[in-house]
């Protein structure tokens, strides 16, 4: 299955990059045969302090290199109507949700993504981490990566 192979290639390619954690599908489920995964998402969590860049900065850099990366689960449901109006203090009530929502990134996968593409994406992410101090000085911390719809409208 291509998505599984892509997932494994990303895991191998990013294993040594400090400050990134790839979500492991099925973690904690043990050997439950009822659980099957289609590996349709490659999700990373970025530790800004260890990686050297924020999630938004990395997404902006990836998009600048024509990599269809995106913020994952963004915006969080708690930031959308009707919740933001009904619960204006939701940011204070859900600190873990807010933290995770600001750290997760989704990388491209699927039939159109090749092993060579994944190697290049991983190499670029590793480059960004190695040169994070210099890159952080030119990509604002609060950079807002465009949504896929915004990219299509360019």
């Amino acid at each position: 299955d291509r998505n599984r192979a892509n997932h494994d290639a990303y895991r191998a390619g990013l294993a040594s990059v400090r400050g990134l954690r790839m979500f492991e599908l099925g973690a904690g489920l043990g050997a439950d045969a009822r659980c099957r995964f289609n590996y349709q998402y490659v999700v990373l969590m970025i530790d800004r302090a260890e990686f050297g860049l924020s999630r938004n900065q990395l997404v902006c850099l990836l998009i600048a290199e024509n990599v269809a990366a995106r913020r994952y689960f963004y915006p969080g449901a708690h930031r959308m109507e009707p919740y933001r109006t009904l619960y204006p203090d939701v940011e204070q009530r859900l600190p873990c949700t807010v933290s995770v929502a600001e750290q997760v990134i989704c990388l491209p996968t699927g039939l159109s993504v090749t092993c060579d593409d994944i190697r290049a994406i991983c190499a670029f992410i590793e480059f960004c981490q190695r040169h994070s101090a210099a890159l952080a000085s030119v990509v604002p911390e609060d950079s807002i990566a465009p949504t896929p719809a915004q990219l299509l409208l360019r």
Side-chain angles (χ1 to χ4, degrees):
D1 166 70
R2 182 59 147 305
N3 282 346
R4 173 76 186 253
N6 288 353
H7 200 269
D8 292 344
Y10 275 117
R11 183 183 309 107
L14 296 172
S16 65
V17 179
R18 289 186 344 264
L20 291 184
R21 184 170 56 101
M22 192 165 164
F23 282 101
E24 293 300 324
L25 298 173
L29 294 176
D32 190 337
R34 297 171 297 168
C35 296
R36 296 190 55 200
F37 304 98
N38 64 10
Y39 296 89
Q40 71 181 19
Y41 295 108
V42 175
V43 181
L44 305 176
M45 181 171 266
I46 299 175
D47 178 333
R48 196 262 183 256
E50 191 174 356
F51 186 77
L53 297 168
S54 71
R55 181 271 318 268
N56 286 353
Q57 288 172 310
L58 181 58
V59 169
C60 284
L61 290 164
L62 286 164
I63 288 172
E65 293 295 316
N66 292 318
V67 175
R70 61 187 174 88
R71 298 173 287 184
Y72 193 58
F73 289 132
Y74 186 86
H78 66 286
R79 291 180 171 158
M80 299 169 71
E81 291 298 341
Y83 309 107
R84 69 177 174 198
T85 299
L86 292 172
Y87 308 102
D89 64 338
V90 72
E91 300 283 320
Q92 291 75 38
R93 296 170 73 182
L94 299 173
C96 292
T97 299
V98 170
S99 176
V100 169
E102 292 173 354
Q103 295 178 58
V104 289
I105 180 176
C106 191
L107 296 176
T109 192
L111 294 176
S112 65
V113 179
T114 67
C115 286
D116 287 340
D117 294 333
I118 293 170
R119 277 191 287 276
I121 292 167
C122 292
F124 182 71
I125 291 172
E126 185 177 10
F127 172 89
C128 290
Q129 196 279 321
R130 272 196 329 266
H131 300 282
S132 60
L135 291 168
S137 69
V138 295
V139 180
E141 173 79 26
D142 60 350
S143 294
I144 302 298
T147 65
Q150 290 169 326
L151 291 174
L152 290 173
L153 297 175
R154 283 186 176 178

